[in-house]
Amino acid sequence: MYKETLLMMPGPVPMPETVRNAMTKQAMNHRSKDFGDCYAEIVKILKPVFGTSNDMLVLSGSGTAGQEAAIGSFAKDKKIVSLVNGKFGERLGLISKIYGPTQMLESEWGHPLNLEGLAESLENGAEVVTMVHNETSAAILNPAEEVGKLCKKHDALFILDGITSIGGDVFKADEWGVDVAIVGSQKCLAAPAGLAAVSVSQKAWDRLSENRPFYLDLKKAKKSADLSPMETPTTPAVPLFLALRESCKLIEEEGIENRIARHQKMSAAVRAAGKTWGLKLVPQVDALHKASNTVTGFFYPEGIEDSKIRGACKKMGIEFAGGQDRLKGKIFRIGNMGIIDTPEILATVAAVQMCFKKTGYKLEGDGLSAAVEVLSQ
């Protein structure tokens, strides 16, 4: 019997039926009022989700396109510092190196960022700082507010990847001094993959790079978005815009505070299960760095093969993520982004517990009961 796989990954995530249905509509003129109204509604709803009153632009392209648009439009030929403690911070650094002289301040994946090194780099004239807020490769939440304060002190631009936190955790772009913030559609927004939304401060516009990418030029994107009705400079992925509007409506209906609280509760339940199982969390937390509230990572015990655990769960119809790059085979990650709620968390925790038992590994305790305890509060 066919059944849909339950995606418990840090993106892509399950999509609500109304979001899926939106993509089946007949083709639309992307220079029409109907499209402009769709774009405008997305922007109206996303601004409070970002915590911003700044300009908001939607690009046809993944979160990585948003990253490159930000760096290519505002950091070209400037001195860049990229904070790295995971795969996606590393990606921001690699993009940065294409556009300007870049210092990658690297920490072990999942460990605290080198904020002392950042302060020193800023003292020495760094002009742009890039950082991933929620580093899903190591399931760690990085201190955006603290980095924003350092950038403000030294008058540097702050480019923040909020791809896996915006819409699922606290995000205060304006309050934290974020000049460019980026989200991907297929993460906490629970929309299809293929769009990136970017907020841009006036400070960033004032420092616009002279030579910018052709397709990912945010000045062009702003010029088109400022038209009435709103437009994009090149042909947009119209079905994805329509789907994103539906997902935004659901966010507005739930309320961003309620949505954040739900994400926090679901991740707390997964962490409680892992603690009861006796598994070690991936991130090294401290006063500033926290465990992610949209994906939870655990180290495997010695002797457990990643493929056996995740493979057995996938056969049961539940798919979650393994480790990437240097963490491949060492960790597994359970996402709780978008519309994930109590039933999906309980099903996943039960499946993981069962699959460990099938491999012959004895966990320390009943993680399912621990998750139920959190979720029933």
Side-chain angles (χ1 to χ4, degrees), residues 59 64-74 95 99 198 213 216-218:
L59 312 176
T64 305
Q67 292 174 331
E68 186 154 10
I71 294 165
S73 295
F74 300 110
I95 295 171
Y99 288 95
V198 181
L216 297 174
D217 181 356
L218 290 179

Side-chain angles (χ1 to χ4, degrees), residues 169-248:
D169 208 344
V170 176
F171 199 93
K172 301 180 179 180
D174 291 359
E175 186 176 317
W176 295 343
V178 179
D179 294 296
V180 187
I182 308 146
V183 75
S185 54
Q186 81 280 20
K187 307 291 185 175
C188 300
L189 304 183
L195 295 179
V198 181
S199 69
V200 183
S201 72
Q202 185 57 52
K203 177 179 169 183
W205 289 125
D206 291 342
R207 301 182 188 185
L208 190 71
S209 298
E210 184 175 346
N211 296 308
R212 302 175 297 280
F214 181 86
Y215 182 69
L216 297 174
D217 181 356
L218 290 179
K219 182 180 180 181
K220 287 181 185 175
K222 175 174 166 53
K223 182 178 179 181
S224 294
D226 285 344
L227 297 173
S228 184
M230 294 182 74
E231 292 186 12
T232 55
T234 56
T235 304
V238 174
L240 303 186
F241 271 78
L242 296 174
L244 179 57
R245 175 171 62 178
E246 292 304 316
S247 70
C248 285

Side-chain angles (χ1 to χ4, degrees), residues 92-169:
L92 265 176
L94 293 174
I95 295 171
S96 298
K97 283 185 173 183
I98 295 170
Y99 288 95
T102 300
Q103 178 189 13
M104 293 176 69
L105 285 178
E106 299 191 55
S107 304
E108 183 55 48
W109 288 14
H111 288 237
L113 295 169
N114 184 359
L115 298 185
E116 290 184 2
L118 173 61
E120 183 178 343
S121 296
L122 289 166
E123 291 281 356
N124 291 331
E127 301 168 273
V128 180
V129 175
T130 73
M131 188 186 91
V132 172
H133 184 216
N134 187 63
E135 178 58 77
T136 55
S137 67
I140 189 168
L141 186 67
N142 289 319
E145 185 174 7
E146 296 302 316
V147 173
K149 288 177 182 176
L150 286 171
C151 290
K152 184 176 181 180
K153 179 181 177 182
H154 296 278
D155 196 30
L157 284 181
F158 185 18
I159 297 176
L160 183 59
D161 170 342
I163 289 171
T164 60
S165 57
I166 293 172
D169 208 344

Side-chain angles (χ1 to χ4, degrees), residues 72-85:
S73 295
F74 300 110
K76 184 171 175 55
D77 298 328
K78 297 182 174 74
K79 295 179 181 178
I80 307 167
V81 179
S82 292
L83 292 165
V84 180
N85 63 351

